[in-house]
Amino acid sequence: MQQADNLGALGGVDHGFCSINDPQRPDAVFICKQVHSATVIEWQAQLATNSVAADGVFTREHQPIAVITADCLPILIAAEDGATVAAVHGGWKGLQGGIIANAVQQFADKGIAVEQLQVAIGPSIKPCCYEVSEDFIAQFQADQGHLWPDDRAPWSFVQPAPLLPPEIAPPYARQTGSAWFDLSGFGVMLLLAAGLKREQIEVSEVCTYCTSSTFASYRRRTHHPEEAKTLIYSWIARNP
């Protein structure tokens, strides 16, 4: 199980990024029915796991909450006093739809200013391994280009090197005119646009595709279909 330093430094909060069958994860964790939306809900005692279509959940109770991912961003958020926490599933559709702003707004609605937040982005696919099409880039530039200057878009037309020494070879380009998308970089841009400072955000350098076969990667499994399906389980809880 991995942990983020910034969340680990908060009193009253526990969290982890782990495999779905990791014995260190809490029992009875609540997970939404993830649908790549921008919807963030508040946990309620009557809600059953996987019964509510949403991609983010926050709570002021002691119920552990989580998201499951296999390349997308697992985003864990906590107020510095440990009284409110959230778990967000950040695929490109949900990110583009505004899920980060919606999550930050949930804290604001409870009187928690953006300056009081700490955010950890867990293992996700990195630009070394996330090839996207020319059409994808054109659409993203049209919809989200206001977030970056022309020379700081969250993609490169040259495949970048992995951030960590790879255990699995990164994929080769399979499309002409494609680019290599920085999903976690895009998530950071959205957090900054929501009012956070960069020092409030910790980003894992782990690439789910190439860093280790123990991490779940939907993209890697499409390239290597013999791999068993697995998931990353990212959870956060207020300590009782």
Side-chain angles (χ1 to χ4, degrees):
M1 184 176 74
Q2 293 195 351
Q3 292 188 307
D5 291 339
N6 64 341
L7 296 185
L10 300 180
V13 174
D14 199 5
H15 75 288
F17 302 100
C18 59
S19 63
I20 199 166
N21 57 354
D22 193 305
Q24 296 186 67
R25 71 173 176 83
D27 294 328
V29 172
F30 176 83
I31 303 174
C32 298
K33 182 179 181 181
Q34 297 174 193
V35 291
H36 290 274
S37 70
T39 303
V40 181
I41 64 166
E42 183 171 7
W43 176 81
Q44 304 289 338
Q46 72 272 18
L47 297 178
T49 286
N50 202 35
S51 67
V52 181
D55 286 81
V57 55
F58 78 99
T59 186
R60 294 169 289 170
E61 306 299 330
H62 294 296
Q63 168 67 40
I65 55 177
V67 290
I68 52 176
T69 58
D71 278 336
C72 295
L73 303 185
I75 306 169
L76 302 180
I77 310 173
E80 289 182 343
D81 65 0
T84 308
V85 296
V88 174
H89 165 236
W92 68 264
K93 290 181 181 179
L95 294 174
Q96 186 180 28
I99 194 166
I100 283 179
N102 292 346
V104 171
Q105 187 61 48
Q106 293 281 9
F107 284 86
D109 290 345
K110 306 302 180 188
I112 303 166
V114 68
E115 294 84 6
Q116 297 174 281
L117 302 180
Q118 289 291 325
V119 179
I121 297 177
S124 65
I125 196 165
K126 300 300 179 187
C128 52
C129 298
Y130 192 10
E131 184 188 17
V132 295
S133 70
E134 189 174 12
D135 288 345
F136 178 99
I137 290 300
Q139 177 260 325
F140 237 84
Q141 180 63 42
D143 291 346
Q144 303 289 305
H146 61 280
L147 290 171
W148 53 79
D150 290 342
D151 60 346
R152 294 191 58 216
W155 61 76
S156 169
F157 293 104
V158 177
Q159 185 176 9
L163 297 174
L164 298 174
E167 293 183 12
I168 300 159
Y172 58 86
R174 286 166 164 80
Q175 305 174 67
T176 58
S178 62
W180 301 88
F181 193 73
D182 186 356
L183 188 65
S184 54
F186 179 51
V188 169
M189 288 180 177
L190 293 172
L191 287 163
L192 297 177
L196 280 87
K197 306 290 187 186
R198 184 62 183 85
E199 54 267 26
Q200 295 172 259
I201 308 164
E202 184 170 328
V203 182
S204 171
E205 293 188 336
V206 168
C207 176
T208 46
Y209 189 111
C210 71
T211 299
S212 170
S213 60
T214 61
F215 292 104
S217 172
Y218 175 81
R219 177 66 61 100
R220 190 179 67 231
R221 196 161 56 84
T222 63
H223 296 164
H224 304 280
E226 70 280 3
E227 283 195 9
K229 181 179 179 180
T230 185
L231 295 166
I232 291 175
Y233 201 103
S234 302
W235 59 271
I236 191 166
R238 296 183 61 221
N239 288 331

